[in-house]
Amino acid sequence: MDKFGTYTIIIALIMMLLPDIFSVFGVEDLMTEPIYPMITIALGGVGVILHVLNLILRKQLSFSAITLLSSVALIISGVSLSKLEIPNTHYLTLVGLLLVALWIAVPQKKSNKKADQN
């Protein structure tokens, strides 16, 4: 289940970036329909939900995991909703990026001391 969640998040990120990549090469009319950002949000949401369910089932839900998954969800939804030209959705992307910075700044609990020694 974890693998499928990762795959759907990666597909959502690729779908989120493809219009900008193609615009560099001069292709402007690709993925301009409003269904593409909605599919991107749906795939990203399904991926995040699959990861949360997997963490709950394995009883490994932590502040760090919730912070990272919510930041991924906020970034995907912020960029996709801004493609739909909904006002002030760039703040969702900003909050997602700030949560990534928080996730990096907060130290992780060292659970395996042998891995630190290697």
Side-chain angles (χ1 to χ4, degrees), residues 10 19 35 47-48 54 56 90 92 95 98 111:
I10 289 173
I35 191 72
V48 169
N54 193 19
I56 290 172
H90 56 278
L92 288 176
V95 171
L98 289 174
S111 61

mmCIF file of all heavy atoms in Angstrom, residues 10 19 35 47-48 54 56 90 92 95 98 111:
data_model
loop_
_atom_site.group_PDB
_atom_site.id
_atom_site.type_symbol
_atom_site.label_atom_id
_atom_site.label_comp_id
_atom_site.label_asym_id
_atom_site.label_seq_id
_atom_site.Cartn_x
_atom_site.Cartn_y
_atom_site.Cartn_z
ATOM 1 N N ILE A 10 3.961 10.658 -6.918
ATOM 2 C CA ILE A 10 4.925 10.980 -7.974
ATOM 3 C C ILE A 10 4.204 11.315 -9.276
ATOM 4 O O ILE A 10 4.574 12.273 -9.969
ATOM 5 C CB ILE A 10 5.930 9.825 -8.154
ATOM 6 C CG1 ILE A 10 6.866 9.778 -6.950
ATOM 7 C CG2 ILE A 10 6.733 9.988 -9.449
ATOM 8 C CD1 ILE A 10 7.789 8.589 -6.930
ATOM 9 N N PRO A 19 2.875 20.854 -17.564
ATOM 10 C CA PRO A 19 2.541 22.053 -18.353
ATOM 11 C C PRO A 19 3.647 23.106 -18.349
ATOM 12 O O PRO A 19 3.906 23.740 -19.371
ATOM 13 C CB PRO A 19 1.275 22.591 -17.683
ATOM 14 C CG PRO A 19 0.683 21.431 -17.003
ATOM 15 C CD PRO A 19 1.821 20.570 -16.576
ATOM 16 N N ILE A 35 -9.752 19.776 -15.979
ATOM 17 C CA ILE A 35 -9.785 18.411 -15.440
ATOM 18 C C ILE A 35 -8.391 17.954 -14.992
ATOM 19 O O ILE A 35 -8.269 17.172 -14.048
ATOM 20 C CB ILE A 35 -10.403 17.433 -16.469
ATOM 21 C CG1 ILE A 35 -10.692 16.076 -15.841
ATOM 22 C CG2 ILE A 35 -9.494 17.256 -17.661
ATOM 23 C CD1 ILE A 35 -11.836 16.085 -14.905
ATOM 24 N N GLY A 47 -2.725 9.442 -2.705
ATOM 25 C CA GLY A 47 -1.397 9.029 -2.243
ATOM 26 C C GLY A 47 -1.150 9.377 -0.791
ATOM 27 O O GLY A 47 -0.629 8.568 -0.021
ATOM 28 N N VAL A 48 -1.544 10.564 -0.388
ATOM 29 C CA VAL A 48 -1.355 10.983 1.012
ATOM 30 C C VAL A 48 -2.223 10.136 1.926
ATOM 31 O O VAL A 48 -1.778 9.688 2.996
ATOM 32 C CB VAL A 48 -1.648 12.489 1.159
ATOM 33 C CG1 VAL A 48 -1.733 12.888 2.624
ATOM 34 C CG2 VAL A 48 -0.582 13.307 0.456
ATOM 35 N N ASN A 54 -1.397 3.597 5.931
ATOM 36 C CA ASN A 54 -0.309 2.660 6.152
ATOM 37 C C ASN A 54 0.420 2.958 7.460
ATOM 38 O O ASN A 54 0.781 2.045 8.204
ATOM 39 C CB ASN A 54 0.662 2.718 4.968
ATOM 40 C CG ASN A 54 1.623 1.570 4.968
ATOM 41 O OD1 ASN A 54 1.401 0.552 5.613
ATOM 42 N ND2 ASN A 54 2.709 1.717 4.242
ATOM 43 N N ILE A 56 -0.909 4.411 10.084
ATOM 44 C CA ILE A 56 -1.817 4.057 11.174
ATOM 45 C C ILE A 56 -1.816 2.549 11.400
ATOM 46 O O ILE A 56 -1.770 2.073 12.543
ATOM 47 C CB ILE A 56 -3.233 4.582 10.897
ATOM 48 C CG1 ILE A 56 -3.265 6.106 11.010
ATOM 49 C CG2 ILE A 56 -4.251 3.970 11.859
ATOM 50 C CD1 ILE A 56 -4.563 6.739 10.567
ATOM 51 N N HIS A 90 -1.814 30.568 -3.800
ATOM 52 C CA HIS A 90 -0.363 30.493 -3.677
ATOM 53 C C HIS A 90 0.057 30.442 -2.210
ATOM 54 O O HIS A 90 1.161 30.007 -1.897
ATOM 55 C CB HIS A 90 0.310 31.651 -4.417
ATOM 56 C CG HIS A 90 -0.140 32.997 -3.990
ATOM 57 N ND1 HIS A 90 -1.291 33.567 -4.480
ATOM 58 C CD2 HIS A 90 0.391 33.872 -3.109
ATOM 59 C CE1 HIS A 90 -1.443 34.749 -3.914
ATOM 60 N NE2 HIS A 90 -0.445 34.960 -3.082
ATOM 61 N N LEU A 92 -1.310 28.424 -0.072
ATOM 62 C CA LEU A 92 -1.253 26.994 0.257
ATOM 63 C C LEU A 92 0.119 26.430 -0.072
ATOM 64 O O LEU A 92 0.687 25.655 0.702
ATOM 65 C CB LEU A 92 -2.328 26.224 -0.522
ATOM 66 C CG LEU A 92 -3.766 26.410 -0.095
ATOM 67 C CD1 LEU A 92 -4.691 25.660 -1.049
ATOM 68 C CD2 LEU A 92 -3.964 25.924 1.313
ATOM 69 N N VAL A 95 2.594 27.708 2.565
ATOM 70 C CA VAL A 95 2.484 26.976 3.826
ATOM 71 C C VAL A 95 3.088 25.583 3.691
ATOM 72 O O VAL A 95 3.767 25.092 4.599
ATOM 73 C CB VAL A 95 1.007 26.909 4.287
ATOM 74 C CG1 VAL A 95 0.837 25.969 5.456
ATOM 75 C CG2 VAL A 95 0.515 28.294 4.654
ATOM 76 N N LEU A 98 6.807 25.968 3.818
ATOM 77 C CA LEU A 98 7.232 26.250 5.193
ATOM 78 C C LEU A 98 7.175 24.996 6.066
ATOM 79 O O LEU A 98 8.016 24.812 6.948
ATOM 80 C CB LEU A 98 6.386 27.367 5.791
ATOM 81 C CG LEU A 98 6.643 28.760 5.214
ATOM 82 C CD1 LEU A 98 5.637 29.754 5.781
ATOM 83 C CD2 LEU A 98 8.058 29.206 5.488
ATOM 84 N N SER A 111 16.410 6.102 16.403
ATOM 85 C CA SER A 111 15.906 4.855 16.974
ATOM 86 C C SER A 111 16.881 3.706 16.813
ATOM 87 O O SER A 111 16.788 2.710 17.499
ATOM 88 C CB SER A 111 14.570 4.487 16.325
ATOM 89 O OG SER A 111 14.751 4.288 14.933
#
